[in-house]
Amino acid sequence: MKSKELSVDLRDRIVSRHKFGEGCRKISAALKVPMSTVASIIRKWKKFKTTRTLPRASRPSKLSDRRRRPLVREVTKYLMVTLSELQRSSVERGEPSRRTTISAAIHQVKHGGGSIMLWGCFSAAKTGRLVRIKGKMTAAVYSDILDENLLQSALDLRLGRRFIFQQVNDPKHTARISKEWLQDNSMNVLEWPSQSPDLNLIEHLCRDLKMAVHRRFPSKLMVLEKGCCKEEWAKLATDRCAKLVASYSKRLEAVIAAKGASTKY
């Protein structure tokens, strides 16, 4: 007999308790939900950032014109939007679709578009280097990016050798080869909590960059990378960088007070 699906409200409560540091066993006992179900919901939330029901892999469905149009609009408007972001949007509209279905649909867009992966850095003074990541991002690729760009950016930004480097706990960032590079180059790395939704300052600049690039409507990836992204990155307001860095202590206090949950920042 097929088990009854948990309500969205209950799934949200499970995730909320998880954010506040409760373990699966405690959540299971408090909400009277099997521990395996609790663990599954938390895994899905970590991967897709949603508790809504996603489409089953065994039942692919073609997108109707009505369902394809909002995806096309989003890809056209935000050229660097990811498949995961598009899938979350489709779930929020109540029209969940598989990643492969979405990918096939957006590749049918005839008037340009595309996406690239970028690495960038900034300080309170201004933005540093911005480089395109070609192929798969691995720990080796990441350490090469640091070697070729981080120290030069620090020189360009006149940071000296006592600056603090911030990066998130991505497995590629914490891999042995990456740690060795950081240690060999005497990097002072900021200790990073496992749950810190409001502390990654560069995400704010990435959103600014996306909006600036969108206004230029680049039609080719080469133009997107060289003619748009790098130019717009260099033009991001210096006071924006300064304000983000200046807000960091308040962000830290807010996240600590919220026990790792989301804050107004």
Side-chain angles (χ1 to χ4, degrees):
M1 185 175 182
K2 188 176 179 179
S3 58
K4 185 177 179 181
E5 190 175 69
L6 297 184
S7 67
V8 172
D9 177 67
L10 184 52
R11 282 177 268 170
D12 286 344
R13 288 166 62 194
I14 289 172
V15 170
S16 178
R17 284 175 173 265
H18 167 73
K19 286 182 178 179
F20 278 92
E22 291 188 12
C24 291
R25 188 180 301 277
K26 186 174 181 179
I27 297 173
S28 172
L31 300 180
K32 294 181 171 46
V33 175
M35 193 159 63
S36 59
T37 303
V38 170
S40 176
I41 289 170
I42 292 172
R43 281 196 303 270
K44 187 176 81 170
W45 173 78
K46 287 182 176 179
K47 183 175 182 179
F48 298 106
K49 299 302 179 187
T50 183
T51 59
R52 272 58 179 173
T53 302
L54 295 173
R56 297 182 182 277
S58 59
R59 293 191 177 184
S61 60
K62 293 183 178 179
L63 291 178
S64 64
D65 289 339
R66 181 181 65 80
R67 295 174 66 186
R68 184 184 293 110
R69 281 194 292 270
L71 291 174
V72 172
R73 282 197 301 270
E74 194 165 352
V75 170
T76 304
K77 185 175 182 181
Y78 303 108
L79 294 179
M80 290 179 285
V81 68
T82 66
L83 282 176
S84 294
E85 289 171 335
L86 291 172
Q87 188 174 36
R88 286 200 295 272
S89 295
S90 70
V91 169
E92 290 167 0
R93 288 193 301 271
E95 301 172 342
S97 300
R98 295 175 63 205
R99 288 168 62 93
T100 52
T101 304
I102 293 173
S103 179
I106 64 177
H107 276 88
Q108 295 172 8
V109 179
K110 301 299 183 181
H111 45 79
S115 64
I116 58 176
M117 188 185 302
L118 301 168
W119 176 93
C121 61
F122 80 103
S123 74
K126 61 179 180 177
T127 54
R129 287 192 170 189
L130 183 77
V131 294
R132 180 181 178 183
I133 301 167
K134 297 181 179 179
K136 185 178 180 181
M137 181 63 153
T138 63
V141 171
Y142 180 66
S143 61
D144 286 342
I145 288 174
L146 295 181
D147 191 52
E148 295 169 7
N149 299 279
L150 181 57
L151 294 179
Q152 187 58 52
S153 288
L155 288 174
D156 295 341
L157 297 169
R158 300 181 180 180
L159 298 180
R161 293 291 298 173
R162 299 182 65 184
F163 69 92
I164 299 175
F165 178 53
Q166 177 194 357
Q167 61 176 3
V168 296
N169 281 336
D170 185 284
K172 294 177 283 295
H173 300 176
T174 57
R176 179 180 57 81
I177 188 173
S178 301
K179 286 184 175 180
E180 287 178 353
W181 186 93
L182 294 167
Q183 291 170 358
D184 291 344
N185 288 275
S186 303
M187 289 290 110
N188 185 8
V189 181
L190 181 69
E191 186 176 351
W192 195 253
S194 58
Q195 296 293 333
S196 50
D198 301 298
L199 298 181
N200 196 7
L201 300 182
I202 202 165
E203 290 185 355
H204 298 274
L205 289 188
C206 287
R207 283 196 290 270
D208 295 347
L209 177 63
K210 285 184 178 183
M211 293 175 65
V213 169
H214 159 61
R215 289 192 288 267
R216 296 177 59 165
F217 291 102
S219 58
K220 296 181 180 179
L221 290 183
M222 185 177 295
V223 176
L224 176 62
E225 175 190 1
K226 296 182 178 179
C228 289
C229 290
K230 290 187 176 180
E231 289 180 7
E232 295 299 335
W233 180 253
K235 290 185 338 189
L236 290 177
T238 55
D239 64 336
R240 171 69 161 152
C241 297
K243 287 178 181 178
L244 282 172
V245 174
S247 71
Y248 206 69
S249 60
K250 290 184 177 180
R251 292 172 185 272
L252 285 171
E253 292 171 358
V255 170
I256 291 171
K259 297 182 179 179
S262 297
T263 71
K264 67 177 182 178
Y265 294 102

